[in-house]
Amino acid sequence: FMVEELNRARRDGVVCIVDGTHPAGGRDIGFLPQMSRRSGMSVVASGGYYVDEMYPPEITTMSEAQIAEELIQDATSNPLGAFGEMGTSDEITPNERKVFRAVGTAHVETGLPIFTHTENGKCAEEQLDILESMGVPPERVAIGHLGSLVDPDVEVHTAICKRGAFVGFDRQGGRSDERNVPMILKLLEDNDVSVVEAEGRQIDPEFHEAVFEEEVAEGSTGDILDVLEKGYLHGEVLIRPSRVKVAKVVESDESES
């Protein structure tokens, strides 16, 4: 069943899935590569701790340095690609603050990015404050579940973006899309993000990536026939190129028999 789900996601354009299961939550490092090989989907394993109420009992008595060392040991002895889902409660508890400082230290040592769990967006900026105070660059952090922080003015979302971190619009599907799509569009519009023009144009390698080529009898080689994935600009800076299908003109054989 899981391979079928991964295959379906891959066909829909998903190229990578990050598994947020912690060691204490039943993470199976050997299982993930099997799913990746059988489905063709890239799967990234992660490590860390979730929220205080789900921490192992020993976290209370461990020092910040001991927790950091345990995280570093997990990251260096297992093929991890991230720390997460690092969570906080409605208000950050002393244990959660200690764990967040420790994962900041572990990031500095390993370079692994961090993705977080918030309680519907609560404490989002405080999470980033703690991580930055430990030397974590904002661009290596994704603050999670901000799609559940319903705000038509997207004030917190904008603040996180302006600091350089990623905003997590997750829990997609179903009725959540109705609230998230307008917020995403508002966030993009307010921050000078625009779509790369591609439809009906000639391919420009600076802004477009040719994924498929289709032979045609008319037109010009390099004409964009279809936009497979939109590209985006932040002002004049390219965020990602448009992925497109382009034409290759093939002359017909008019030789007489």
Side-chain angles (χ1 to χ4, degrees):
F1 171 75
M2 292 185 68
V3 171
E4 181 182 333
E5 288 290 297
L6 289 172
N7 280 327
R8 185 177 297 117
R10 186 167 55 82
R11 288 194 296 270
D12 286 342
V14 177
V15 297
C16 180
I17 290 178
V18 180
D19 177 62
T21 309
H22 307 101
R27 184 190 70 192
D28 188 339
I29 288 291
F31 177 71
L32 298 179
Q34 293 179 40
M35 292 298 98
S36 180
R37 284 193 295 269
R38 292 174 62 186
S39 65
M41 173 74 75
S42 295
V43 179
V44 176
S46 58
Y49 301 98
Y50 187 41
V51 293
D52 196 341
E53 65 178 337
M54 300 184 70
Y55 287 165
E58 60 268 22
I59 287 292
T60 300
T61 58
M62 292 174 69
S63 69
E64 180 183 310
Q66 288 173 324
I67 296 170
E69 182 57 36
E70 187 169 282
L71 290 168
I72 293 167
Q73 177 63 29
D74 187 28
T76 53
S77 60
N78 291 299
L80 304 188
F83 289 120
E85 184 179 9
M86 307 298 301
T88 56
S89 306
D90 281 346
E91 295 184 2
I92 299 179
T93 69
N95 272 345
E96 289 169 346
R97 191 173 300 276
K98 178 171 64 175
V99 168
F100 258 68
R101 288 177 60 83
V103 79
T105 299
H107 163 83
V108 172
E109 179 69 24
T110 65
L112 293 184
I114 300 167
F115 64 100
T116 78
H117 161 91
T118 64
E119 291 293 333
N120 298 325
K122 295 177 182 177
C123 303
E125 292 185 85
E126 193 173 357
Q127 286 186 351
L128 191 54
D129 288 341
I130 297 170
L131 295 173
E132 282 197 90
S133 75
M134 300 305 295
V136 181
E139 62 268 21
R140 302 293 285 167
V141 178
I143 305 295
H145 306 326
L146 288 183
S148 299
L149 178 61
V150 181
D151 174 16
D153 295 324
V154 291
E155 291 184 2
V156 172
H157 313 73
T158 298
I160 295 292
C161 288
K162 286 187 179 298
R163 291 174 65 175
F166 289 87
V167 172
F169 280 90
D170 35 46
R171 296 171 172 167
Q172 298 305 107
R175 298 184 63 182
S176 64
D177 291 352
E178 297 175 8
R179 72 182 182 216
N180 283 353
V181 170
M183 289 197 295
I184 293 170
L185 293 175
K186 172 72 171 172
L187 191 61
L188 296 177
E189 291 167 2
D190 287 356
N191 291 280
D192 198 22
V193 176
S194 59
V195 176
V196 172
E197 297 291 339
E199 192 73 48
R201 293 174 176 247
Q202 266 276 315
I203 188 168
D204 182 341
E206 186 174 350
F207 298 105
H208 310 129
E209 177 188 352
V211 180
F212 296 109
E213 191 174 64
E214 181 176 311
E215 294 184 350
V216 296
E218 298 180 347
S220 301
T221 294
D223 284 346
I224 294 175
L225 303 176
D226 192 14
V227 178
L228 307 176
E229 184 178 86
K230 291 180 180 179
Y232 293 93
L233 295 160
H234 183 210
E236 297 182 356
V237 178
L238 184 69
I239 299 174
R240 77 175 187 198
S242 292
R243 304 179 78 228
V244 299
K245 178 169 68 174
V246 298
K248 178 182 178 181
V249 175
V250 177
E251 297 182 3
S252 60
D253 185 2
E254 297 180 350
S255 60
E256 296 181 2
S257 57

